[in-house]
């Protein structure tokens, strides 16, 4: 494992920007900024005509490190400790679970909790619990 | 909604993740590692990301929803489901295991693509495969995963 510094202020500001983006999407489109929903609807079958907008939103996410590096001169630190087999397994579970549960950390965690949604509260409590349990097992039991 | 505005909205989200440190799986895993609390190595930053995001969205949503309709749409498309059913338990449970295995959730993983690393690409391709599988299973069950206008 790699130690990381506690960054309350940067995390609070970054979280505020995530919230701002969610408010922007609600103001412009009237939609929830759930990344799993936006990403999964890039896959067929298509149910509405919003494909280009979703692709543009995802392109903005992907372009973010380049914009960040352009302004600050360097990329934020990123340490990926998982090997390829684990990344594949984790990706499958994250993809399946987020669609099956209609949301992920953004849709349920930020937007849902902000809307005082009981379903989102349940979702957040469940995924936090299984994520914490998974880290405990992989770091301290295996 | 203009495509450029959609791009900017995604960019703000992504930069938020980067500033918050959430693009670093190690930082996410160090938050989820509660055994680190007694050890003194726990990184509580993620709680502050949630706090900042919810504070802004809680106030912002209320201000925005006072308007009759969105700027570029005829009506708001808010989630309508309220029932706490098996899917709202099973889905997040599976999602959480995947999140805890690698420290990636969908947003940070997509920003990680911008780093141009193979790891991010492998994760994203697997994630899309998992999403496609869930949508297919939902269709065969006759339930609709992620209705066109539902939450995400």
């Amino acid at each position: 494992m790699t130690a990381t510094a506690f960054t309350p202020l940067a995390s609070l500001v970054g979280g505020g920007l995530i919230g701002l983006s969610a408010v922007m999407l609600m103001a412009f489109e009237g939609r929830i900024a759930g990344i799993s929903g936006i990403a999964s609807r890039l896959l067929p079958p298509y149910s509405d005509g919003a494909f280009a907008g979703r692709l543009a939103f995802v392109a903005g996410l992907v372009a973010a490190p380049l914009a960040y590096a352009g302004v600050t001169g360097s990329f934020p630190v990123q340490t990926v400790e998982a090997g390829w087999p684990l990344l594949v397994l984790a990706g499958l579970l994250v993809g399946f679970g987020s669609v099956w549960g209609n949301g992920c950390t953004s849709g349920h965690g930020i937007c849902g909790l902000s809307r005082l949604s009981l379903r989102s509260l349940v979702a957040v409590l469940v995924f936090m619990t299984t994520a914490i349990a998974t880290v405990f097992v992989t770091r301290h039991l295996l | 909604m203009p495509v450029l505005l959609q791009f900017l909205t995604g960019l703000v989200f992504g930069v938020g993740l980067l500033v918050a440190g959430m693009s670093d799986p190690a930082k996410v895993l160090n938050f989820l590692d509660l055994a680190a609390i007694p050890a003194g190595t726990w990184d509580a930053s993620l709680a502050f990301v949630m706090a900042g995001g919810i504070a802004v969205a809680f106030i912002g949503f209320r201000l925005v929803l006072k308007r009759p309709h969105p700027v570029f749409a005829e009506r708001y498309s808010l989630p309508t489901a309220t029932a706490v059913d098996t899917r709202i338990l099973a889905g997040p449970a599976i999602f959480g295991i995947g999140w805890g295995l690698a420290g990636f959730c969908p947003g940070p993983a997509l920003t990680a693509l911008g780093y141009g690393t193979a790891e991010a690409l492998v994760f994203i391709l697997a994630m899309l495969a998992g999403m496609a599988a869930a949508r297919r299973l939902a269709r065969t069950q006759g339930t609709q995963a992620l209705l066109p206008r539902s939450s995400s």
Side-chain angles (χ1 to χ4, degrees):
Chain A
M1 59 175 282
T2 307
T4 52
F6 176 45
T7 56
L9 191 60
S11 290
L12 196 65
V13 170
L17 285 172
I18 294 167
L20 173 65
S21 171
V23 173
M24 286 166 75
L25 201 60
M26 186 62 74
F28 295 145
E29 280 282 284
R31 289 177 194 269
I32 293 288
I35 307 303
S36 59
I38 292 170
S40 67
R41 290 192 187 91
L42 290 175
L43 302 165
Y46 302 115
S47 51
D48 57 19
F51 180 86
R54 291 194 178 102
L55 192 62
F57 184 97
V58 168
L61 278 178
V62 175
L66 307 171
Y68 184 102
V71 171
T72 65
S74 64
F75 287 91
V77 168
Q78 186 184 76
T79 313
V80 183
E81 288 158 331
W84 282 35
L86 195 57
L87 284 167
V88 170
L89 177 62
L92 287 169
L93 294 172
V94 164
F96 185 93
S98 61
V99 168
W100 200 247
N102 280 332
C104 59
T105 3
S106 53
H108 285 310
I110 303 279
C111 298
L113 293 184
S114 298
R115 293 176 51 248
L116 307 178
S117 157
L118 175 65
R119 271 169 57 90
S120 289
L121 178 62
V122 170
V124 171
L125 291 174
V126 171
F127 70 60
M128 279 291 176
T129 302
T130 57
I132 287 166
T134 301
V135 171
F136 183 78
V137 169
T138 53
R139 279 195 177 177
H140 305 288
L141 295 185
L142 296 180
Chain B
M1 175 169 176
V3 166
L4 185 63
L5 259 184
Q6 285 269 21
F7 176 81
L8 276 177
T9 307
L11 190 67
V12 171
F13 199 108
V15 169
L17 286 169
L18 294 165
V19 170
M22 289 301 98
S23 52
D24 186 0
K27 194 169 177 67
V28 174
L29 293 175
N30 286 344
F31 172 82
L32 296 170
D33 187 6
L34 297 189
I37 296 175
T41 55
W42 186 50
D43 185 347
S45 305
L46 181 61
F48 287 74
V49 183
M50 297 288 286
I54 291 169
V56 170
F58 181 81
I59 296 165
F61 281 174
R62 267 150 193 77
L63 293 175
V64 164
L65 291 170
K66 283 189 177 129
R67 302 174 56 88
H69 60 83
V71 178
F72 300 104
E74 290 177 5
R75 66 185 69 87
Y76 292 101
S77 313
L78 297 174
T80 50
T82 53
V84 176
D85 53 10
T86 54
R87 276 185 54 182
I88 202 70
L89 298 171
I94 294 166
F95 167 83
I97 294 169
W99 190 33
L101 283 176
F104 273 132
C105 56
L110 284 165
T111 62
L113 268 187
Y115 282 70
T117 60
E119 283 85 0
L121 187 61
V122 167
F123 181 90
I124 290 290
L125 291 175
M127 183 181 90
L128 290 172
M131 286 175 167
R135 289 181 62 154
R136 180 166 306 178
L137 184 63
R139 280 200 305 278
T140 58
Q141 285 208 341
T143 56
Q144 178 112 36
L146 290 171
L147 292 158
R149 292 275 183 266
S150 76
S151 79
S152 46

